[in-house]
Amino acid sequence: MSSHYEAPIREPLIIGEKSYHDISVDVGAPILGRANRSWYIAFSIALVAFLWGIGCIIYTVSTGIGVWGLNKTIGWAWDITNFVWWVGIGHAGTLISAILLLFRQKWRMAINRSAEAMTIFAVIQAGLFPIIHMGRPWLAYWVLPIPNQFGSLWVNFNSPLLWDVFAISTYLSISLVFWYTGLLPDFAMIRDRTTKPFQKKIYSLLSFGWSGRVKDWQRFEEVSLVLAGLATPLVLSVHTIVSFDFATSVVPGWHSTIFPPYFVAGAIFSGFAMVQTLLIIMRKVSNLENYITIQHIELMNKVILLTGGIVTVAYLTEYFIGWYSGQSYENYTYLSFGAATGPYWWAFVMLITCNLIVPLSLWVKKLRRNIMWTFMVALIINIGMWFERFNIIVIDLTKDRLTSSWAMFQPTFVDIGTFIGTIGFFFVLFLLYARTFPVIAQAEVKTILKSSGEMYKKRRAEHPNEPISHVDLDPTAEEPASNIQGSYFTSTDKKEEITTTDTIKDASKDDKINSLLSNVGTFDPKSQEADNLKKINGIGPVMERKLHELGIYTFEQVSKMTNLEYDMLDTITGEFPGRAKRDDWAGQAKVLKKN
Amino acid sequence: MATKVIHAIYTDDDVLLDAVKKVRAAKYTIKEVFTPFPVHGLDKAVGIEPTRIAIASFLYGLLGLTVAVVMMNYIMIVDWPQDIGGKPSFTFIQNMPAFIPIMFELTVFFAGHLMVITFYLRSKIWPFRKAENPDLRTTDDHFLMEIEVHGEETELLKLLSNTHASEVKVVEPLKILG
């Protein structure tokens, strides 16, 4: 169809011969199936780290902040470093789902769900630090302007730390509803596909009774668009406000007007690095390589390259202004000659290497499309961006205006343990998410299948004038006619078609079919019910129809197939030779039969 | 009230769109269309009005902005006009730069959340709500058009048979939803 036209120069975003149903199957598979061993191993490790972190937090709160490595000069170190790092990571999710939606980027669709999940889980980690770094966290509710018995004692709206409260809570809650609203159709898909009663109940509850009416979709799209329009300035404002924590101070190195855009660019930079890290693993583990393609990875690398470039310009600007201002205090800031030669020279080197030099390798197309290299660079950027925040916070504080208050910072095991705990918590949440949520927005991916699917693009290239649509003219293709309820209607010419096509006339084939059926057993529509054979990996709607034509309707029958039957099947159907054997249909059917 | 509805099921969005246009051209009323994903142009083809939810969101945003201004003006300027770090607390305008971040955040907060709540209420989706799609496959890969029948059943079936429908069923509603 002409409406699906897309310039042939664009690479396909969905690889393989995917139908709408295949997308549902692939996205639903991790939820409807069982977790494997590596998932349990990863989950256990994350859980242990999380519990260790909880221990550290309880120890901090019950004993006092003194258990951290902070001193009188350096009142912020790992706590706020980790806070800014986590908030920054969260930003890529909103960028992918909101900003790329405004720019109508189709490649966002396969990755936005996971990126938003990452946002939410990262902001939860970030949200812990403002609480636990308080001396008296049980009074945290005093930051809210609630009428009270102290003559209504209010908060002070001049403080960026209060702006943080509003920014982070708005950001988390808006991201959450944006994400959840997008999930409704996908939960509905799982609800309607699962056969387990408990799962059905859960997903019915989660899907809020989503039915996919045309009016619902119209509102849904409008809501998504408006939320994207709101979330885009939100994401810019949130990290701007986080940067105000430093930029509005009088500390040399902090007091800088470049911080708001520079922090935002850094947030997107580090956020995309984290998305790469997670998705490179997830596409492998969840068999989503056909949806999260090398093209997606390359495009994300290009965003990393762009934002990394912006961050680099900011570094150079800071370095230049430090010198150009002529202020002697500016010589001890995190990006100054003094910092490069001072006691924290190694942190300076880490920052420049990880954020400035290593990402430059992504200019090379070969490296940009190399998954292993991308993974390495992404990890390095995550480390580098942690050092950026550490340098800004700690180096600038170590040497301030009075030499008598100069100090060094040494983290304790509690500092480190808390950080590891949040990483553990993040992965606990992300791993649980990957098993229970549709990790790809299947409803959205289905909308780009015809324009950006590999099969459709190829077909359009070969037959440019032919309308592309999949029409199944045979209504019995889906299930045995006996299963169809309600009064059933087809036009006369179609009825003829059914009577002529449902049997294969060839006599030699008839013999083969009979011997095949005698081996696997026959299907009696009166007493038996047909199974959904498409659940078997490798059987699509077309293959299922072929099997139905032969008289194979149940998992029971498929499970009895051996090499002999596979060969027979290949000679009868003449399609996808060897496929049944490769996919081990019998083995799959045995498993499905038991469920 | 119609006593019967016809469910025409399609397996392709483009075919569905053509069918919707044909049914509309023949002046039948399409009661509902269930699709697994948003089909571009379907709302226009079915003939439903554009949604006003964006306008609602704008108004909610104005409300949020008002709340922020009124709250901070009362707390910082009227109730306790204190000197905090030399910030001018004589009028709202003088100290406004410090209030902008929260004015912005509350505008977004109100516009976003109230719009989503409006969407949920208007589309009648909330926890424990029962799904009403008549065929489970409509959330997967099937498209279902529901047309009310007012006695012209045969003509309508004839029309639908020429629209490449994969299934056409005449359904008599047994229970009244409520």
Side-chain angles (χ1 to χ4, degrees):
Chain A
M1 286 263 151
S2 57
S3 63
H4 296 298
Y5 173 79
E6 188 181 76
I9 197 168
R10 292 188 184 276
E11 282 183 49
L13 294 172
I14 300 163
I15 292 175
E17 298 196 359
K18 296 288 176 193
S19 65
Y20 294 136
H21 182 68
D22 293 336
I23 296 175
S24 307
V25 171
D26 290 341
V27 174
I31 304 166
L32 302 172
R34 282 177 197 288
N36 56 13
R37 228 164 65 100
S38 52
W39 185 87
Y40 278 106
I41 292 170
F43 186 75
S44 312
I45 295 170
L47 196 65
V48 168
F50 174 38
L51 294 175
W52 173 250
I54 291 181
C56 287
I57 291 171
I58 293 172
Y59 179 52
T60 307
V61 173
S62 57
T63 312
I65 292 292
V67 299
W68 289 357
L70 302 175
N71 52 49
K72 274 196 217 166
T73 300
I74 300 158
W76 276 356
W78 277 54
D79 47 353
I80 299 300
T81 299
N82 300 335
F83 164 70
V84 181
W85 189 73
W86 277 119
V87 175
I89 282 173
H91 279 48
T94 314
L95 184 98
I96 288 169
S97 53
I99 299 181
L100 297 184
L101 189 151
L102 294 184
F103 286 117
R104 300 285 178 205
Q105 294 296 305
K106 287 176 183 167
W107 61 274
R108 90 196 139 83
M109 288 173 179
I111 52 177
N112 60 358
R113 176 67 40 75
S114 296
E116 286 167 51
M118 188 195 75
T119 291
I120 286 156
F121 303 148
V123 174
I124 290 172
Q125 307 315 321
L128 289 172
F129 285 102
I131 309 280
I132 58 174
H133 92 306
M134 289 180 176
R136 286 175 287 170
W138 48 92
L139 297 180
Y141 69 96
W142 283 7
V143 303
L144 302 173
I146 308 168
N148 51 58
Q149 73 275 38
F150 305 114
S152 259
L153 187 62
W154 304 113
V155 289
N156 160 29
F157 285 99
N158 290 316
S159 168
L161 298 182
L162 185 70
W163 305 343
D164 265 349
V165 173
F166 280 82
I168 300 293
S169 50
T170 303
Y171 186 51
L172 178 63
S173 63
I174 291 278
S175 303
L176 206 58
V177 294
F178 193 10
W179 188 52
Y180 201 88
T181 306
L183 273 162
L184 292 176
D186 294 4
F187 280 145
M189 183 274 284
I190 302 289
R191 171 196 74 203
D192 290 348
R193 273 184 59 75
T194 183
T195 48
K196 297 172 195 158
F198 180 69
Q199 260 191 346
K200 193 133 201 141
K201 216 167 230 162
I202 293 293
Y203 287 100
S204 300
L205 177 62
L206 289 175
S207 64
F208 285 12
W210 177 265
S211 305
R213 292 188 172 87
V214 58
K215 186 72 189 178
D216 293 352
W217 281 119
Q218 186 200 38
R219 292 199 185 108
F220 177 91
E221 292 211 286
E222 186 89 348
V223 164
S224 305
L225 189 64
V226 175
L227 273 182
L230 289 170
T232 302
L234 184 65
V235 72
L236 301 182
S237 80
V238 169
H239 221 63
T240 294
I241 290 174
V242 169
S243 83
F244 283 163
D245 294 348
F246 313 101
T248 60
S249 74
V250 294
V251 176
W254 283 10
H255 186 80
S256 170
T257 51
I258 204 177
F259 270 23
Y262 152 50
F263 266 51
V264 172
I268 296 164
F269 182 53
S270 67
F272 264 89
M274 192 56 128
V275 174
Q276 291 278 35
T277 321
L278 294 175
L279 288 188
I280 285 173
I281 297 172
M282 201 178 77
R283 69 195 284 272
K284 196 91 197 158
V285 177
S286 300
N287 290 324
L288 297 170
E289 281 133 318
N290 287 327
Y291 302 97
I292 301 164
T293 65
I294 195 83
Q295 166 78 350
H296 289 86
I297 290 171
E298 188 187 4
L299 287 167
M300 286 196 277
N301 275 336
K302 284 181 178 171
V303 177
I304 288 178
L305 207 48
L306 171 72
T307 48
I310 297 173
V311 171
T312 299
V313 170
Y315 291 164
L316 299 177
T317 310
E318 285 277 288
Y319 197 87
F320 170 74
I321 293 293
W323 165 78
Y324 186 67
S325 70
Q327 288 234 354
S328 51
Y329 297 124
E330 290 281 335
N331 192 33
Y332 299 110
T333 63
Y334 70 107
L335 277 168
S336 63
F337 187 70
T341 54
Y344 281 109
W345 64 269
W346 48 272
F348 182 92
V349 171
M350 281 296 281
L351 170 80
I352 298 297
T353 318
C354 298
N355 292 346
L356 203 157
I357 297 170
V358 174
L360 289 178
S361 64
L362 296 178
W363 282 100
V364 182
K365 186 164 184 174
K366 261 225 169 85
L367 294 174
R368 204 160 61 215
R369 289 179 80 91
N370 181 320
I371 293 177
M372 265 323 282
W373 181 251
T374 302
F375 188 74
M376 292 298 294
V377 170
L379 276 182
I380 288 170
I381 291 172
N382 280 320
I383 296 167
M385 286 306 289
W386 190 88
F387 271 98
E388 183 196 295
R389 280 66 177 252
F390 176 81
N391 287 10
I392 290 174
I393 294 168
V394 176
I395 297 186
D396 287 349
L397 287 177
T398 48
K399 291 188 176 176
D400 59 2
R401 290 193 166 86
L402 277 178
T403 46
S404 60
S405 61
W406 284 9
M408 289 290 286
F409 172 77
Q410 193 73 49
T412 64
F413 81 94
V414 194
D415 282 303
I416 300 165
T418 311
F419 181 44
I420 290 171
T422 55
I423 294 175
F425 191 14
F426 176 79
F427 278 101
V428 164
L429 291 172
F430 197 84
L431 286 166
L432 285 176
Y433 150 83
R435 299 270 330 130
T436 49
F437 280 54
V439 292
I440 284 183
Q442 51 92 21
E444 289 196 78
V445 168
K446 284 173 185 170
T447 63
I448 59 162
L449 177 66
K450 281 191 182 169
S451 63
S452 306
E454 188 187 24
M455 179 178 65
Y456 288 94
K457 285 187 87 83
K458 227 181 243 163
R459 208 184 292 175
R460 229 180 350 256
E462 284 160 16
H463 315 283
N465 297 320
E466 197 179 277
I468 290 182
S469 55
H470 263 326
V471 186
D472 224 341
L473 289 173
D474 179 2
T476 56
E478 282 303 320
E479 48 187 336
S482 62
N483 281 10
I484 296 177
Q485 284 155 4
S487 82
Y488 175 71
F489 174 84
T490 43
S491 70
T492 43
D493 55 279
K494 261 193 229 166
K495 263 183 191 149
E496 275 169 21
E497 197 179 280
I498 296 159
T499 50
T500 50
T501 54
D502 65 346
T503 49
I504 298 167
K505 291 278 182 286
D506 194 336
S508 65
K509 270 191 175 179
D510 269 351
D511 289 345
K512 279 184 190 162
I513 293 168
N514 285 337
S515 67
L516 179 67
L517 284 180
S518 67
N519 288 352
V520 298
T522 50
F523 174 74
D524 179 14
K526 287 192 189 91
S527 60
Q528 285 173 288
E529 220 177 295
D531 290 317
N532 182 4
L533 295 181
K534 282 174 291 192
K535 279 190 182 161
I536 295 172
N537 196 3
I539 299 188
V542 178
M543 196 63 210
E544 192 187 42
R545 188 168 75 194
K546 295 256 173 194
L547 289 171
H548 284 177
E549 280 172 4
L550 296 174
I552 296 173
Y553 285 99
T554 61
F555 293 142
E556 175 81 38
Q557 286 172 303
V558 178
S559 69
K560 284 187 189 147
M561 290 170 107
T562 59
N563 283 347
L564 185 68
E565 280 77 32
Y566 288 151
D567 291 342
M568 277 168 139
L569 188 70
D570 288 343
T571 53
I572 298 167
T573 61
E575 282 197 30
F576 312 121
R579 178 130 187 210
K581 191 174 173 181
R582 250 197 337 272
D583 295 343
D584 186 24
W585 287 2
Q588 289 187 55
K590 259 178 215 141
V591 178
L592 288 162
K593 197 173 68 178
K594 278 179 201 142
N595 287 338
Chain B
M1 265 302 282
T3 51
K4 287 181 191 171
V5 288
I6 288 184
H7 285 173
I9 296 181
Y10 299 85
T11 50
D12 186 277
D13 46 343
D14 295 318
V15 179
L16 169 82
L17 210 54
D18 284 343
V20 165
K21 284 172 189 161
K22 266 185 201 158
V23 171
R24 287 261 295 163
K27 303 266 190 278
Y28 290 103
T29 316
I30 296 171
K31 196 174 165 211
E32 199 59 79
V33 185
F34 296 90
T35 61
F37 56 84
V39 178
H40 187 72
L42 182 64
D43 51 342
K44 281 202 187 75
V46 174
I48 53 175
E49 296 289 314
T51 170
R52 294 163 295 175
I53 210 147
I55 301 167
S57 177
F58 178 74
L59 297 175
Y60 295 143
L62 288 183
L63 176 69
L65 183 63
T66 314
V67 167
V69 170
V70 169
M71 174 181 74
M72 287 189 287
N73 182 56
Y74 176 70
I75 292 175
M76 298 296 289
I77 311 294
V78 177
D79 203 20
W80 299 68
Q82 293 213 44
D83 184 342
I84 304 162
K87 289 266 187 179
S89 57
F90 311 109
T91 61
F92 185 79
I93 284 295
Q94 276 180 309
N95 203 12
M96 198 180 67
F99 300 149
I100 285 177
I102 289 180
M103 282 156 68
F104 176 82
E105 296 298 330
L106 284 185
T107 308
V108 170
F109 186 90
F110 274 64
H113 286 296
L114 292 179
M115 174 183 65
V116 170
I117 291 169
T118 309
F119 165 53
Y120 286 3
L121 294 180
R122 291 285 287 145
S123 286
K124 298 191 172 58
I125 41 181
W126 47 72
F128 298 104
R129 172 101 193 160
K130 281 253 179 307
E132 286 166 0
N133 47 335
D135 192 306
L136 292 187
R137 294 170 297 175
T138 59
T139 51
D140 179 2
D141 61 345
H142 283 59
F143 305 78
L144 190 148
M145 174 163 57
E146 195 175 80
I147 308 161
E148 282 182 14
V149 186
H150 298 279
E152 66 286 70
E153 197 175 320
T154 18
E155 297 89 63
L156 190 49
L157 290 175
K158 197 164 216 162
L159 175 71
L160 289 173
S161 70
N162 292 323
T163 58
H164 296 305
S166 76
E167 291 170 33
V168 181
K169 299 179 204 172
V170 182
V171 180
E172 297 182 32
L174 294 174
K175 55 178 181 192
I176 294 142
L177 293 168

